[in-house]
Amino acid sequence: MKKIFSILAVALIALTGAKAQDLTDNYARLYAGYNSFAFTTSGAETLNGFQLGGAYAFNVTGHKLPLFVEAGLEYNMFSKSGDNSFHAISLPVNATYKFAVNDDFTITPYAGLIWRFGLSMKSNGVDQFETRKSKETGLTNWEGLHRVVGLFDLGVNFTIMQHYTVGYRYSRSVNSMVHEFETTDLQGNVLAKVTGDPDVSHAITIGYVF
């Protein structure tokens, strides 16, 4: 984790010679940050990790207003003690608007959607995306998680000296990752019902705009 942030810091220093931007100019953004991820599978689970991403924003008003559509690509990794981990690629698309407090400080709130593609999720070393069946009965006792999930995305970035950013982000899935289903015995009696709630994540990020 420290190595990743060290690499990012070196990259930001190398980019400090970038020209100043007008408030309505298109921009690109690189960022990294700390992430927490909470989901429910008949019981709450919270994983912590990091995200690395990049985004490009283009002005949608012909440069008359600082209103943009920003599209990006992210890698997310979450983990917990033991063999519990989650790796995903995300595609966020947001509407952003810049408010200039002064020449060196800008506030950029944003809102939109994220399409998240699960690469792998393991709990105690077991793949949670795979359907599992009971060895005794041959009946399904785990449907596997949804790999693709849509999320609402809300956040704000604070830009200092026109290039350096610090941000907060909140996202909540439209639906649960969990396939809701009932496990039964050979006679059709319900043994358990698996349910899930929408997952929620929070992130604190640092980045560079150019």
Side-chain angles (χ1 to χ4, degrees):
M1 188 66 155
K2 291 182 179 179
K3 184 177 180 181
I4 291 171
F5 280 99
S6 297
I7 293 171
L8 179 64
V10 171
L12 297 186
I13 293 171
L15 290 168
T16 52
K19 69 174 184 177
Q21 285 189 320
D22 183 81
L23 199 64
T24 61
D25 285 349
N26 297 348
Y27 64 88
R29 184 167 63 93
L30 298 175
Y31 55 93
Y34 165 82
N35 239 2
S36 71
F37 169 74
F39 69 103
T40 304
T41 55
S42 299
E45 182 87 27
T46 299
L47 305 177
N48 297 312
F50 68 90
Q51 63 178 216
L52 296 172
Y56 183 79
F58 55 92
N59 193 289
V60 294
T61 68
H63 300 282
K64 295 176 182 178
L65 294 171
L67 177 63
F68 305 84
V69 170
E70 183 184 277
L73 176 66
E74 295 175 2
Y75 167 71
N76 298 274
M77 191 283 285
F78 307 91
S79 63
K80 197 176 180 180
S81 58
D83 293 328
N84 298 329
S85 64
F86 179 38
H87 298 262
I89 294 292
S90 297
L91 301 175
V93 178
N94 287 291
T96 74
Y97 194 94
K98 290 184 177 182
F99 296 94
V101 177
N102 55 45
D103 289 343
D104 292 322
F105 187 67
T106 304
I107 301 173
T108 308
Y110 60 86
L113 295 171
I114 300 174
W115 287 267
R116 188 182 66 212
F117 302 87
L119 301 176
S120 70
M121 176 178 270
K122 292 186 177 181
S123 178
N124 297 319
V126 178
D127 189 345
Q128 298 301 298
F129 287 121
E130 291 186 353
T131 298
R132 297 194 296 274
K133 294 186 177 182
S134 168
K135 293 181 179 179
E136 290 76 19
T137 66
L139 299 175
T140 298
N141 57 17
W142 178 251
E143 286 284 355
L145 300 176
H146 292 286
R147 283 190 181 272
V148 181
V149 175
L151 302 96
F152 296 112
D153 194 25
L154 295 172
V156 61
N157 287 312
F158 302 95
T159 305
I160 305 163
M161 299 175 62
Q162 299 191 9
H163 295 292
Y164 303 97
T165 67
V166 177
Y168 167 76
R169 179 187 216 169
Y170 169 86
S171 57
R172 180 184 176 89
S173 65
V174 177
N175 59 294
S176 173
M177 293 177 67
V178 179
H179 287 277
E180 295 193 5
F181 70 99
E182 296 177 342
T183 58
T184 61
D185 59 21
L186 292 173
Q187 287 72 44
N189 300 312
V190 176
L191 301 176
K193 184 175 182 179
V194 178
T195 62
D197 296 324
D199 60 79
V200 173
S201 65
H202 301 268
I204 301 294
T205 63
I206 60 171
Y208 189 86
V209 174
F210 56 95

